Amino acid sequence: MAKKEMEVVKGLDLEKYMGRWYEIASIPSRNQPKNGVNTRATYTLKEDGTVNVVNETWSDGKRSSIEGVAYKAEPSSQEAKFKVKFYLPPFLPIIPVVGNYWVLYIDQDYQYVLVGEPSRKNLWILSRNTHLNEEIYNQLLEKAKEEGYDVSKLHKTPQNDPPPEGEGPKDTKGIWWIKSILGK
């Protein structure tokens, strides 16, 4: 049986979407550290209409980050389907890796969002705050199930309150990236 077409947000207000988002839970990509905490993304709209993306996480007490760019998959479409390009490894950015970033649901105040991609292998629940009300979290789980995701693979991301400020000690060797290739 073929999977149904995913329902994607239409008419996303990019300016309202910009800023910091905290990862509440995820079915992470293979390039994310498995033991990451305080994971967050910061989006900044650029003059050309693309979005600068900075993903950060703390693993083994060190900050790991990767920077990329997001752009509309189909510029004329109203659907919130984006491509995100990162260069790997982050310590020697030479290999472009492009992934899908589809906004599946966002509340009217742009305070929490469900993000997925067409293979249904990765899923993120993001919030403007480090914690999300359990009722809202469960509603997002139901939405993810409706879109064909196996939410049993979802894991909650530990977040400190307040979140870490600044950059902290940095993983300059890209050890997290090498570990992620090995599935750790």
Side-chain angles (χ1 to χ4, degrees):
M1 183 168 114
K3 291 183 179 180
K4 74 171 187 115
E5 178 84 17
M6 266 197 265
E7 191 174 315
V8 179
V9 169
K10 291 180 178 63
L12 183 75
D13 183 334
L14 267 183
E15 288 185 11
K16 283 176 71 173
Y17 197 78
M18 296 300 100
R20 169 130 329 137
W21 291 91
Y22 296 94
E23 183 181 276
I24 302 302
S26 69
I27 301 174
S29 76
R30 71 171 196 246
N31 294 320
Q32 282 183 261
K34 305 293 182 245
N35 63 343
V37 300
N38 297 314
T39 304
R40 61 193 185 191
T42 305
Y43 305 126
T44 308
L45 191 59
K46 296 164 57 171
E47 284 186 28
D48 64 1
T50 63
V51 176
N52 188 68
V53 177
V54 178
N55 289 340
E56 302 170 277
T57 194
W58 276 254
S59 177
D60 301 324
K62 293 187 177 177
R63 176 185 165 268
S64 298
S65 67
I66 190 166
E67 194 166 339
V69 65
Y71 52 92
K72 290 282 296 245
E74 297 174 33
S76 62
S77 173
Q78 285 296 306
E79 291 184 312
K81 292 181 179 180
F82 296 88
K83 295 283 187 186
V84 182
K85 183 191 301 183
F86 295 102
Y87 286 91
L88 298 174
F91 55 89
L92 181 64
I94 55 174
I95 304 167
V97 176
V98 179
N100 291 295
Y101 183 104
W102 290 12
V103 179
L104 305 176
Y105 177 82
I106 190 162
D107 73 298
Q108 67 182 18
D109 296 324
Y110 284 64
Q111 295 301 300
Y112 50 90
V113 63
L114 182 66
V115 177
E117 45 78 45
S119 75
R120 294 173 173 86
K121 290 181 181 172
N122 304 116
L123 183 71
W124 295 271
I125 294 175
L126 307 176
S127 173
R128 295 290 189 180
N129 298 303
T130 55
H131 297 85
L132 187 61
N133 171 295
E134 199 66 26
E135 183 179 330
I136 292 169
Y137 179 79
N138 290 330
Q139 290 171 0
L140 293 172
L141 285 184
E142 286 305 311
K143 174 70 176 156
K145 285 183 201 174
E146 289 171 16
E147 296 300 338
Y149 281 91
D150 178 357
V151 297
S152 71
K153 294 180 180 178
L154 202 64
H155 77 56
K156 287 193 173 182
T157 305
Q159 293 282 352
N160 290 345
D161 205 4
E165 289 299 321
E167 295 190 358
K170 190 170 183 175
D171 173 9
T172 56
K173 298 181 177 101
I175 299 300
W176 71 266
W177 187 80
I178 294 165
K179 285 180 178 178
S180 72
I181 290 174
L182 301 173
K184 298 184 180 198

